Amino acid sequence: MSIRLGDTAPDFVAETTQGTVNFHEWLGDSWGVLFSHPKDFTPVCTTELGYVAKIKPEFDKRNVKVIGLSVDSVESHNKWEADIAETQGTPVNFPMIGDHDRKVSDLYNMIHPNANDTLTVRSVFVVGPDKKVKLSITYPASTGRNFDEILRVIDSLQLTAKHKVATPANWQNGQDVIIGGAVSDEDAKKLFPQGWKTIKNYLRILPQPR
Ligand code: BEZ
């Protein structure tokens, strides 16, 4: 069965390049990003892992743990990581699951047999501190992911977890936000005493709460 937003992220125990990971226990109170790679020693994945390693401080700042997966062994990952450090300029600084038995790939439906019956697609799951799935994206194997977009969505998720707001198209951290549709004007007055701008009665804008 596919994993839907709001579902509990399936728990698992897996061997990784940083030792055995019990997923839920490893997440602790953090947010998490679990992302799959079709195969080791492939060019697009090499650039993706190098980029995520470079921006890992951005995930750390947001209290987000990152974990990758590929359907090869940990031994293979270790050899590949030497190439990634050499070609991308940053060593991989987060665990990579050795999913040679496809246990985690199957659990998360990362193999789409009509696309390819042995490699994973490029899945991304963002998991909240409550272990619920907050975001799921699937990219084709031939397209490298935009990890700045993943950070942008995490900023939105973390903001909307705290405040009764939503974020508009192409929103970036610090820009104006939208009052959630379920919030009445009466409640909005209590929540946002600084006021807001009404464009339509269903479209109310205010500066991002801090
Ligand atoms: C890649 O990472 O370059 C790749 C992997 C599988 C299929 C196509 C591209």
Side-chain angles (χ1 to χ4, degrees), residues 3 33-38 48 67-69 104-105 108-112 119-126 135-141 143 145 147 150:
I3 296 168
V33 172
L34 167 65
F35 63 124
S36 61
H37 297 274
E48 288 191 324
I67 188 163
L69 172 152
V104 180
S105 310
Y108 278 80
N109 288 304
M110 290 167 167
I111 294 179
H112 295 198
L119 312 180
T120 67
V121 289
R122 295 186 195 280
S123 301
V124 186
F125 293 94
V126 174
L135 169 80
S136 139
I137 321 182
T138 305
Y139 286 64
T143 305
R145 284 160 282 200
F147 290 96
I150 308 298

Side-chain angles (χ1 to χ4, degrees), residues 50-99:
Y51 189 74
V52 173
K54 254 178 225 142
I55 63 165
K56 179 153 176 299
E58 291 299 320
F59 288 103
D60 294 341
K61 252 197 251 169
R62 293 162 173 83
N63 188 31
V64 180
K65 289 186 175 175
V66 176
I67 188 163
L69 172 152
S70 169
V71 291
D72 290 299
S73 65
V74 166
E75 292 71 40
S76 167
H77 292 352
N78 285 330
K79 287 185 194 140
W80 184 27
E81 288 192 3
D83 286 359
I84 296 167
E86 179 194 327
T87 61
Q88 307 303 305
T90 314
V92 178
N93 45 15
F94 50 86
M96 278 287 292
I97 297 168
D99 199 38

